[in-house]
PDB file of all heavy atoms in Angstrom:
ATOM      1  N   LEU Y  18     -32.104   3.599  19.844  1.00  0.00           N
ATOM      2  CA  LEU Y  18     -31.635   4.648  20.753  1.00  0.00           C
ATOM      3  C   LEU Y  18     -30.285   4.285  21.370  1.00  0.00           C
ATOM      4  O   LEU Y  18     -30.045   3.120  21.714  1.00  0.00           O
ATOM      5  CB  LEU Y  18     -32.652   4.843  21.890  1.00  0.00           C
ATOM      6  CG  LEU Y  18     -33.577   6.071  21.814  1.00  0.00           C
ATOM      7  CD1 LEU Y  18     -34.384   6.030  20.537  1.00  0.00           C
ATOM      8  CD2 LEU Y  18     -34.493   6.123  23.019  1.00  0.00           C
ATOM      9  N   GLU Y  19     -29.429   5.296  21.494  1.00  0.00           N
ATOM     10  CA  GLU Y  19     -28.211   5.149  22.298  1.00  0.00           C
ATOM     11  C   GLU Y  19     -28.404   6.077  23.471  1.00  0.00           C
ATOM     12  O   GLU Y  19     -28.414   7.295  23.304  1.00  0.00           O
ATOM     13  CB  GLU Y  19     -26.975   5.577  21.501  1.00  0.00           C
ATOM     14  CG  GLU Y  19     -26.667   4.659  20.323  1.00  0.00           C
ATOM     15  CD  GLU Y  19     -25.722   5.315  19.319  1.00  0.00           C
ATOM     16  OE1 GLU Y  19     -24.968   6.238  19.696  1.00  0.00           O
ATOM     17  OE2 GLU Y  19     -25.745   4.909  18.148  1.00  0.00           O
ATOM     18  N   ILE Y  20     -28.613   5.490  24.637  1.00  0.00           N
ATOM     19  CA  ILE Y  20     -28.867   6.335  25.809  1.00  0.00           C
ATOM     20  C   ILE Y  20     -27.576   6.477  26.603  1.00  0.00           C
ATOM     21  O   ILE Y  20     -26.924   5.488  26.932  1.00  0.00           O
ATOM     22  CB  ILE Y  20     -29.964   5.718  26.694  1.00  0.00           C
ATOM     23  CG1 ILE Y  20     -31.273   5.634  25.896  1.00  0.00           C
ATOM     24  CG2 ILE Y  20     -30.152   6.532  27.975  1.00  0.00           C
ATOM     25  CD1 ILE Y  20     -32.392   4.923  26.619  1.00  0.00           C
ATOM     26  N   HIS Y  21     -27.209   7.718  26.881  1.00  0.00           N
ATOM     27  CA  HIS Y  21     -26.067   7.968  27.753  1.00  0.00           C
ATOM     28  C   HIS Y  21     -26.607   8.242  29.141  1.00  0.00           C
ATOM     29  O   HIS Y  21     -27.337   9.207  29.351  1.00  0.00           O
ATOM     30  CB  HIS Y  21     -25.259   9.165  27.252  1.00  0.00           C
ATOM     31  CG  HIS Y  21     -24.394   8.832  26.085  1.00  0.00           C
ATOM     32  ND1 HIS Y  21     -24.764   9.076  24.791  1.00  0.00           N
ATOM     33  CD2 HIS Y  21     -23.170   8.245  26.022  1.00  0.00           C
ATOM     34  CE1 HIS Y  21     -23.808   8.655  23.974  1.00  0.00           C
ATOM     35  NE2 HIS Y  21     -22.822   8.148  24.696  1.00  0.00           N
ATOM     36  N   LYS Y  88     -11.273   6.325  21.645  1.00  0.00           N
ATOM     37  CA  LYS Y  88     -12.002   6.861  20.497  1.00  0.00           C
ATOM     38  C   LYS Y  88     -11.392   8.235  20.235  1.00  0.00           C
ATOM     39  O   LYS Y  88     -11.539   9.147  21.047  1.00  0.00           O
ATOM     40  CB  LYS Y  88     -13.477   6.962  20.852  1.00  0.00           C
ATOM     41  CG  LYS Y  88     -14.359   7.544  19.773  1.00  0.00           C
ATOM     42  CD  LYS Y  88     -15.806   7.633  20.294  1.00  0.00           C
ATOM     43  CE  LYS Y  88     -16.739   8.140  19.213  1.00  0.00           C
ATOM     44  NZ  LYS Y  88     -18.142   8.168  19.682  1.00  0.00           N
ATOM     45  N   HIS Y 132     -21.950  -0.149  27.487  1.00  0.00           N
ATOM     46  CA  HIS Y 132     -20.535   0.000  27.783  1.00  0.00           C
ATOM     47  C   HIS Y 132     -20.270   1.218  28.656  1.00  0.00           C
ATOM     48  O   HIS Y 132     -21.101   2.109  28.761  1.00  0.00           O
ATOM     49  CB  HIS Y 132     -19.694   0.019  26.501  1.00  0.00           C
ATOM     50  CG  HIS Y 132     -19.927   1.216  25.636  1.00  0.00           C
ATOM     51  ND1 HIS Y 132     -20.608   1.161  24.438  1.00  0.00           N
ATOM     52  CD2 HIS Y 132     -19.554   2.503  25.776  1.00  0.00           C
ATOM     53  CE1 HIS Y 132     -20.646   2.361  23.894  1.00  0.00           C
ATOM     54  NE2 HIS Y 132     -20.010   3.209  24.689  1.00  0.00           N
ATOM     55  N   GLU Y 134     -17.960   4.543  29.572  1.00  0.00           N
ATOM     56  CA  GLU Y 134     -17.085   5.508  28.911  1.00  0.00           C
ATOM     57  C   GLU Y 134     -17.055   6.803  29.709  1.00  0.00           C
ATOM     58  O   GLU Y 134     -17.818   6.989  30.644  1.00  0.00           O
ATOM     59  CB  GLU Y 134     -17.557   5.760  27.472  1.00  0.00           C
ATOM     60  CG  GLU Y 134     -18.951   6.368  27.387  1.00  0.00           C
ATOM     61  CD  GLU Y 134     -19.422   6.516  25.944  1.00  0.00           C
ATOM     62  OE1 GLU Y 134     -18.938   5.789  25.067  1.00  0.00           O
ATOM     63  OE2 GLU Y 134     -20.284   7.378  25.704  1.00  0.00           O
ATOM     64  N   GLU Y 162     -23.307   3.814  28.228  1.00  0.00           N
ATOM     65  CA  GLU Y 162     -24.027   3.988  26.972  1.00  0.00           C
ATOM     66  C   GLU Y 162     -24.818   2.715  26.719  1.00  0.00           C
ATOM     67  O   GLU Y 162     -24.243   1.630  26.591  1.00  0.00           O
ATOM     68  CB  GLU Y 162     -23.077   4.296  25.802  1.00  0.00           C
ATOM     69  CG  GLU Y 162     -23.871   4.457  24.500  1.00  0.00           C
ATOM     70  CD  GLU Y 162     -23.049   4.981  23.320  1.00  0.00           C
ATOM     71  OE1 GLU Y 162     -22.043   5.679  23.548  1.00  0.00           O
ATOM     72  OE2 GLU Y 162     -23.435   4.677  22.176  1.00  0.00           O
ATOM     73  N   VAL Y 164     -27.200   0.806  24.301  1.00  0.00           N
ATOM     74  CA  VAL Y 164     -27.548   0.829  22.881  1.00  0.00           C
ATOM     75  C   VAL Y 164     -28.673  -0.167  22.630  1.00  0.00           C
ATOM     76  O   VAL Y 164     -28.569  -1.333  23.004  1.00  0.00           O
ATOM     77  CB  VAL Y 164     -26.316   0.470  22.019  1.00  0.00           C
ATOM     78  CG1 VAL Y 164     -26.661   0.527  20.532  1.00  0.00           C
ATOM     79  CG2 VAL Y 164     -25.146   1.387  22.342  1.00  0.00           C
ATOM     80  N   ALA Y 203     -30.246  11.079  25.023  1.00  0.00           N
ATOM     81  CA  ALA Y 203     -30.332  10.010  24.026  1.00  0.00           C
ATOM     82  C   ALA Y 203     -29.863  10.487  22.656  1.00  0.00           C
ATOM     83  O   ALA Y 203     -30.130  11.607  22.252  1.00  0.00           O
ATOM     84  CB  ALA Y 203     -31.769   9.520  23.928  1.00  0.00           C
ATOM     85  N   ASP Y 204     -29.107   9.607  21.981  1.00  0.00           N
ATOM     86  CA  ASP Y 204     -28.833   9.798  20.559  1.00  0.00           C
ATOM     87  C   ASP Y 204     -29.863   8.930  19.847  1.00  0.00           C
ATOM     88  O   ASP Y 204     -29.969   7.737  20.133  1.00  0.00           O
ATOM     89  CB  ASP Y 204     -27.420   9.322  20.199  1.00  0.00           C
ATOM     90  CG  ASP Y 204     -26.337  10.140  20.890  1.00  0.00           C
ATOM     91  OD1 ASP Y 204     -26.642  11.240  21.387  1.00  0.00           O
ATOM     92  OD2 ASP Y 204     -25.182   9.665  20.947  1.00  0.00           O
ATOM     93  N   VAL Y 205     -30.614   9.551  18.954  1.00  0.00           N
ATOM     94  CA  VAL Y 205     -31.736   8.846  18.338  1.00  0.00           C
ATOM     95  C   VAL Y 205     -31.409   8.568  16.872  1.00  0.00           C
ATOM     96  O   VAL Y 205     -31.193   9.491  16.092  1.00  0.00           O
ATOM     97  CB  VAL Y 205     -33.013   9.712  18.437  1.00  0.00           C
ATOM     98  CG1 VAL Y 205     -34.227   8.897  18.012  1.00  0.00           C
ATOM     99  CG2 VAL Y 205     -33.201  10.247  19.849  1.00  0.00           C
ATOM    100  N   ASN Y 206     -31.381   7.301  16.516  1.00  0.00           N
ATOM    101  CA  ASN Y 206     -31.115   6.914  15.130  1.00  0.00           C
ATOM    102  C   ASN Y 206     -32.431   6.643  14.433  1.00  0.00           C
ATOM    103  O   ASN Y 206     -33.194   5.780  14.867  1.00  0.00           O
ATOM    104  CB  ASN Y 206     -30.231   5.673  15.090  1.00  0.00           C
ATOM    105  CG  ASN Y 206     -28.813   5.982  15.540  1.00  0.00           C
ATOM    106  OD1 ASN Y 206     -28.073   6.645  14.838  1.00  0.00           O
ATOM    107  ND2 ASN Y 206     -28.459   5.544  16.743  1.00  0.00           N
ATOM    108  N   GLU Y 221     -28.464  10.264  12.775  1.00  0.00           N
ATOM    109  CA  GLU Y 221     -28.356  10.229  14.226  1.00  0.00           C
ATOM    110  C   GLU Y 221     -28.633  11.621  14.778  1.00  0.00           C
ATOM    111  O   GLU Y 221     -27.947  12.578  14.422  1.00  0.00           O
ATOM    112  CB  GLU Y 221     -26.960   9.765  14.648  1.00  0.00           C
ATOM    113  CG  GLU Y 221     -26.806   9.662  16.166  1.00  0.00           C
ATOM    114  CD  GLU Y 221     -25.441   9.164  16.608  1.00  0.00           C
ATOM    115  OE1 GLU Y 221     -24.526   9.105  15.768  1.00  0.00           O
ATOM    116  OE2 GLU Y 221     -25.294   8.845  17.806  1.00  0.00           O
ATOM    117  N   ILE Y 222     -29.637  11.719  15.625  1.00  0.00           N
ATOM    118  CA  ILE Y 222     -29.947  13.002  16.256  1.00  0.00           C
ATOM    119  C   ILE Y 222     -29.319  12.966  17.643  1.00  0.00           C
ATOM    120  O   ILE Y 222     -29.648  12.125  18.472  1.00  0.00           O
ATOM    121  CB  ILE Y 222     -31.465  13.222  16.344  1.00  0.00           C
ATOM    122  CG1 ILE Y 222     -32.088  12.980  14.962  1.00  0.00           C
ATOM    123  CG2 ILE Y 222     -31.769  14.626  16.839  1.00  0.00           C
ATOM    124  CD1 ILE Y 222     -33.541  12.608  15.023  1.00  0.00           C
ATOM    125  N   LYS Y 223     -28.379  13.880  17.841  1.00  0.00           N
ATOM    126  CA  LYS Y 223     -27.527  13.849  19.037  1.00  0.00           C
ATOM    127  C   LYS Y 223     -28.186  14.480  20.258  1.00  0.00           C
ATOM    128  O   LYS Y 223     -28.876  15.492  20.147  1.00  0.00           O
ATOM    129  CB  LYS Y 223     -26.240  14.642  18.754  1.00  0.00           C
ATOM    130  CG  LYS Y 223     -25.212  13.859  17.976  1.00  0.00           C
ATOM    131  CD  LYS Y 223     -24.366  13.057  18.932  1.00  0.00           C
ATOM    132  CE  LYS Y 223     -23.348  12.217  18.168  1.00  0.00           C
ATOM    133  NZ  LYS Y 223     -22.966  11.030  18.914  1.00  0.00           N
ATOM    134  N   ASN Y 224     -27.909  13.890  21.426  1.00  0.00           N
ATOM    135  CA  ASN Y 224     -28.153  14.537  22.710  1.00  0.00           C
ATOM    136  C   ASN Y 224     -29.551  15.120  22.918  1.00  0.00           C
ATOM    137  O   ASN Y 224     -29.698  16.272  23.294  1.00  0.00           O
ATOM    138  CB  ASN Y 224     -27.141  15.689  22.888  1.00  0.00           C
ATOM    139  CG  ASN Y 224     -25.821  15.154  23.386  1.00  0.00           C
ATOM    140  OD1 ASN Y 224     -25.781  14.103  24.040  1.00  0.00           O
ATOM    141  ND2 ASN Y 224     -24.743  15.855  23.093  1.00  0.00           N
ATOM    142  N   TYR Y 278     -12.718   7.480  13.865  1.00  0.00           N
ATOM    143  CA  TYR Y 278     -12.352   7.580  15.280  1.00  0.00           C
ATOM    144  C   TYR Y 278     -11.083   6.819  15.660  1.00  0.00           C
ATOM    145  O   TYR Y 278     -10.614   6.957  16.778  1.00  0.00           O
ATOM    146  CB  TYR Y 278     -13.511   7.098  16.156  1.00  0.00           C
ATOM    147  CG  TYR Y 278     -14.696   8.030  16.138  1.00  0.00           C
ATOM    148  CD1 TYR Y 278     -15.972   7.567  15.839  1.00  0.00           C
ATOM    149  CD2 TYR Y 278     -14.536   9.375  16.436  1.00  0.00           C
ATOM    150  CE1 TYR Y 278     -17.067   8.428  15.838  1.00  0.00           C
ATOM    151  CE2 TYR Y 278     -15.624  10.231  16.437  1.00  0.00           C
ATOM    152  CZ  TYR Y 278     -16.884   9.757  16.139  1.00  0.00           C
ATOM    153  OH  TYR Y 278     -17.944  10.607  16.144  1.00  0.00           O
TER     154      TYR Y 278
HETATM  155 MG1   MG A 501     -23.743   7.919  19.767  1.00  0.00          MG
END
Side-chain angles (χ1 to χ4, degrees):
Chain Y
L18 257 59
E19 293 163 24
I20 298 174
H21 283 97
K88 178 182 183 177
H132 67 252
E134 62 184 24
E162 179 171 334
V164 181
D204 296 344
V205 189
N206 290 289
E221 182 178 12
I222 309 156
K223 279 274 178 207
N224 278 334
Y278 290 127

